[in-house]
Every structure is written in structure tokens, then in C-alpha cells.
Amino acid sequence: MKKLIEFFKDKTVKNVLDVGTGTGDFIAILKEVFPTAHITGVDPNPDSLKEAEELYPAVSFRKMVAENLEFANNTFDVVSISMALHHLPDVQKGLQEIKRVVKSNGWIIVNELFSDNLNSAQEVHKMLHHFRSQTHRILGISHNETFKKNKIIEMIDESGINIHFQFESKREVNLIRNSKDLEFRAKKMKEMLESVKGYSEYELLKPQIDEFREKAAKFGFQPATRVVIVGKKQ
Ligand SMILES: C[S@@+](CC[C@H](N)C(=O)[O-])C[C@H]1O[C@@H](n2cnc3c(N)ncnc32)[C@H](O)[C@@H]1O
């Protein structure tokens, strides 16, 4: 995320909120971009927060949903949401809350993977992601399929956040290099499938594991491209 480092290097940023922080993957990036800022991470999943706390002892973590951020108006210099927009039951409400808690002259960073213009190896990643999101929805856990890039931009525009600049970020790696890697992913899929045993969708999902194996062996497995959007509250 060199572009973020470059953009923020001459800006005063003292406190940052990361929404949907999970186990803190985006915090590693935030620490590089804002080395002196205090970071707070929020997420509704207590297990993820526990893991994140162990990894990042200097960061404050709190259990919270994006749609109800328990902070006063105009609290943070920067608020980020990474790979979590498609998890929100109410995206607009989440974006309005993000706008409310960021300072008037503060910045909003959205990092989100998208589902269009992907290469064959990225389509394999999308397949696995959509398999997971489907099992989550069956279990009543909010998890949409990934959005198209234009849809993400449209939702941000609709929220009234002013987009200052945006760029695409892609990792050119193959995360399935051998049969061990492939079996690891297939095992994860089987675990997801077993979590919905007894639901009518079980039999429909089952063949997708072999389909995934076939495609991953043929095309590889590359993370989907992300769009990084930096916006202002006004
Ligand atoms: C794929 S993880 C993203 C983790 C991390 N931010 C990253 O960049 O990798 C999505 C996270 O969104 C969280 N989430 C789900 N519903 C949410 C909500 N309503 N508000 C905030 N976060 C939510 C999940 O618990 C999960 O930790």
C-alpha cells in the first residue's frame, strides 16, 4: 500500500479506527501508514478480537458493529473498513456511522475486494469466497457475495462520502502451488460444508468442492483484486 504511505506522509493523523477489523489483517497496513497514531479496532466477533489482541497489544479493541459505532461524533482522524463492506447487513448505515465518527477534515479508507474483471486464478478465489459466504448466509450470518467494483463506488457516492482518489491493489501470487495447498483449501471447504449439514442446500453445495479442486489445479488461486478508496466526509 505504498500509495497510502505516500498520500498520508505529510498529514497529521493521531487516531485511527478500523471497522470490521477481524483478526487485525489491515492493522498491519495501518501501522505502516500511520506509525505514530493510536489505533482502535472494532468487530462483532469476540474470537477474532481475541486473536487480534494477542497480535497487536498496543491497539485498543472493542466488540461493535459498523452500524452502531459507540463513539462520539467527529472522534477519529481516519476511519478504515477493509474487506468487511460485503459483511455488513446494512452497508449504508455502516457508511453513515463511519462518516459520523470521523472528524470533519478527516479521511475514510475503504479497502474492498471486487468480483468483476478477474483472471482465471482470481475466479477460483471468488468461487471459494462465494462458497463460504453462501454457507454463512444459510447459518444466518450476514455475508454477501463480493460486489462489482462500480457497485462499491456507487454505494460510497450514495453515502455522501467524497471520493478523493482510488486505486486497485492486486497480489500476483499463486496461493495453491502444490497438492498440499490444494488439500488444505479443500479441507476448509469440507468443514464449511459440514457446518450446513441438514440444510436443503447441502447437496447443492457438495459438488462445488470437486469443481474447486479441478479449477484450482488448472488455473491456480490468486486473491481477487481490491479497490482502495480514500474519501472525505465532506
Ligand atoms: C474478511 S473479515 C475482514 C478482516 C480485516 N479487516 C481484513 O482486512 O482482512 C470481515 C470482518 O467483518 C466482520 N463483520 C461482520 N459483520 C460486521 C458488522 N456488522 N460490522 C462490522 N464488522 C462486521 C466479521 O466479523 C469479520 O471479522
Side-chain angles (χ1 to χ4, degrees):
M1 298 277 176
K2 282 198 188 105
K3 286 187 179 143
L4 288 181
I5 296 176
E6 189 58 31
F7 178 72
F8 283 106
K9 72 174 186 218
D10 59 353
K11 310 219 170 16
T12 307
V13 173
K14 291 189 178 150
N15 60 351
V16 178
L17 173 68
D18 187 38
V19 177
T21 199
T23 51
D25 283 2
F26 199 61
I27 285 177
I29 290 168
L30 292 173
K31 279 167 74 77
E32 273 186 64
V33 182
F34 309 108
T36 58
H38 179 261
I39 302 174
T40 302
V42 298
D43 197 283
N45 186 330
D47 297 333
S48 299
L49 288 177
K50 205 164 162 247
E51 258 187 67
E53 259 161 7
E54 277 163 27
L55 287 167
Y56 302 101
V59 173
S60 311
F61 291 100
R62 288 179 61 185
K63 184 174 175 290
M64 222 178 277
V65 292
E67 294 88 341
N68 184 21
L69 296 174
E70 297 159 36
F71 301 103
N73 298 353
N74 307 310
T75 300
F76 297 95
D77 297 308
V78 169
V79 180
S80 59
I81 179 159
S82 166
M83 311 286 277
L85 217 53
H86 66 283
H87 283 258
L88 305 187
D90 190 337
V91 174
Q92 280 309 321
K93 201 164 176 203
L95 290 173
Q96 291 309 323
E97 276 293 88
I98 287 172
K99 254 178 85 183
R100 182 182 66 74
V101 301
V102 78
K103 288 179 186 167
S104 309
N105 57 350
W107 298 94
I108 293 159
I109 303 172
V110 177
N111 177 36
E112 182 73 6
L113 75 174
F114 56 86
S115 62
D116 48 336
N117 293 321
L118 305 178
N119 65 32
S120 307
Q122 291 178 313
E123 284 291 342
V124 178
H125 176 247
K126 182 167 101 181
M127 190 181 172
L128 175 59
H129 183 270
H130 286 185
F131 185 90
R132 184 186 296 123
S133 67
Q134 216 175 329
T135 57
H136 278 164
R137 288 196 299 279
I138 294 166
L139 295 170
I141 301 165
S142 165
H143 195 167
N144 292 305
E145 292 193 348
T146 47
F147 302 116
K148 288 191 171 157
K149 184 179 165 185
N150 275 347
K151 175 72 183 166
I152 298 167
I153 291 166
E154 209 180 282
M155 290 188 298
I156 292 174
D157 278 341
E158 196 189 326
S159 74
I161 293 170
N162 280 316
I163 297 179
H164 195 70
F165 73 101
Q166 49 156 303
F167 58 95
E168 287 187 8
S169 165
K170 182 154 84 167
R171 280 175 68 207
E172 308 264 7
V173 285
N174 179 10
L175 297 176
I176 294 185
R177 290 151 304 169
N178 51 43
S179 57
K180 202 170 146 223
D181 293 341
L182 182 57
E183 281 322 304
F184 174 78
R185 301 280 171 178
K187 188 167 163 260
K188 290 273 170 211
M189 283 180 94
K190 276 188 203 152
E191 286 166 10
M192 291 176 222
L193 181 70
E194 287 317 302
S195 73
V196 298
K197 198 163 189 171
Y199 289 86
S200 57
E201 294 90 343
Y202 180 87
E203 291 301 330
L204 276 172
L205 283 168
K206 208 172 169 184
Q208 286 188 30
I209 301 179
D210 280 342
E211 215 181 301
F212 171 83
R213 274 181 204 281
E214 228 173 84
K215 291 205 166 138
K218 188 168 175 193
F219 301 116
F221 182 91
Q222 189 185 324
T225 316
R226 300 159 182 209
V227 59
V228 183
I229 297 166
V230 176
K232 287 208 97 163
K233 178 170 178 164
Q234 46 195 218

